[in-house]
Amino acid sequence: DAGVTQSPTHLIKTRGQHVTLRCSPISGHKSVSWYQQVLGQGPQFIFQYYEKEERGRGNFPDRFSARQFPNYSSELNVNALLLGDSALYLCASSLGEFSSPLHFGNGTRLTVT
Amino acid sequence: DQQVKQNSPSLSVQEGRISILNCDYTNSMFDYFLWYKKYPAEGPTFLISISSIKDKNEDGRFTVFLNKSAKHLSLHIVPSQPGDSAVYFCAASAGYGNKLVFGAGTILRVKS
């Protein structure tokens, strides 16, 4: 079975631009979460979506938004990119809203110049 | 405000010996703890977890110990193998759920 897939794997953007990152969860998983991992730190929670509804939001500005589609895939959008948004963005899926553990994809490496 | 701390950035161990990775937390609401392993260019992979109602959980070569009074947990790997070389993240949550709080990670190098 395929694991969590994320696209693209790498991305280079300029300050002020916007970006859309995509995630497909493991088949049968209904919950998708997004994490940001800055170099030298652990992943930091951004969003959780379950059954297309936002179930949790981390301490990130409104420039960050996400959504989940009927097929449970998800998009993370970041507007007005800043240099500090350069990071590895990880998507994770789980069976249900409170299921554990999370299964992570390999991430999207975003570089903002 | 680091609620989960891994104070050792790196650890080097000889193959066959025990690896002990440590993690401290400050939030008393945390009651579920996990360890993830991460290889370069891959996402974190779940290793082992423990609920606060237990003080020990084993899975093969991996054992996690939880000391609630000290707000401390540790991961023991016995025996260590070169393939265990990776970054290990400690994570915690308040209840089962998707909002995990991660430590900064410990780089484990197992020398053959």
Side-chain angles (χ1 to χ4, degrees):
Chain A
D1 281 344
V4 176
T5 57
Q6 293 186 242
S7 63
T9 54
H10 295 83
L11 203 51
I12 300 175
K13 289 286 190 178
T14 304
R15 275 177 298 176
Q17 288 187 317
H18 71 272
V19 67
T20 298
L21 310 181
R22 295 178 174 82
C23 172
S24 292
I26 292 172
S27 177
H29 285 195
K30 297 183 178 181
S31 178
V32 169
S33 298
W34 288 94
Y35 284 77
Q36 180 197 64
Q37 186 183 5
V38 173
L39 195 62
Q41 298 181 21
Q44 186 175 359
F45 174 76
I46 310 175
F47 285 111
Q48 181 197 1
Y49 275 78
Y50 175 70
E51 292 284 11
K52 296 178 291 180
E53 291 190 3
E54 182 181 305
R55 296 299 197 181
R57 184 186 183 111
N59 187 23
F60 281 82
D62 291 342
R63 299 184 296 107
F64 288 76
S65 64
R67 55 180 176 168
Q68 186 178 33
F69 299 98
N71 66 353
Y72 303 110
S73 67
S74 177
E75 283 182 355
L76 175 70
N77 295 283
V78 187
N79 292 325
L81 285 167
L82 303 174
L83 295 178
D85 295 331
S86 295
L88 179 67
Y89 288 86
L90 294 162
C91 174
S93 74
S94 62
L95 276 170
E97 182 178 358
F98 300 106
S99 300
S100 188
L102 297 184
H103 300 266
F104 284 88
N106 290 337
T108 294
R109 172 70 63 186
L110 172 65
T111 302
V112 182
T113 62
Chain B
D1 176 25
Q2 278 189 293
Q3 298 184 70
V4 177
K5 297 180 184 180
Q6 294 177 255
N7 291 319
S8 298
S10 64
L11 175 68
S12 185
V13 171
Q14 198 66 36
E15 180 181 6
R17 305 296 290 270
I18 184 171
S19 295
I20 300 176
L21 295 99
N22 294 302
C23 178
D24 297 295
Y25 62 96
T26 57
N27 190 335
S28 308
M29 299 300 292
F30 289 151
D31 57 5
Y32 188 60
F33 305 89
L34 309 90
W35 285 93
Y36 279 83
K37 178 172 71 174
K38 187 179 185 300
Y39 294 118
E42 294 184 12
T45 303
F46 170 71
L47 208 50
I48 192 169
S49 63
I50 187 167
S51 163
S52 60
I53 63 173
K54 293 185 173 184
D55 54 17
K56 177 182 174 181
N57 189 26
E58 286 182 82
D59 184 0
R61 297 185 297 113
F62 303 91
T63 303
V64 56
F65 295 92
L66 175 62
N67 183 334
K68 290 185 290 293
S69 60
K71 293 190 176 65
H72 176 84
L73 63 156
S74 61
L75 174 68
H76 292 210
I77 306 174
V78 184
S80 301
Q81 300 173 353
D84 296 329
S85 298
V87 179
Y88 288 78
F89 290 102
C90 169
S93 67
Y96 293 102
N98 283 222
K99 185 177 178 180
L100 297 181
V101 179
F102 282 83
T106 296
I107 301 170
L108 174 64
R109 295 186 185 90
V110 180
K111 300 174 289 186
S112 57

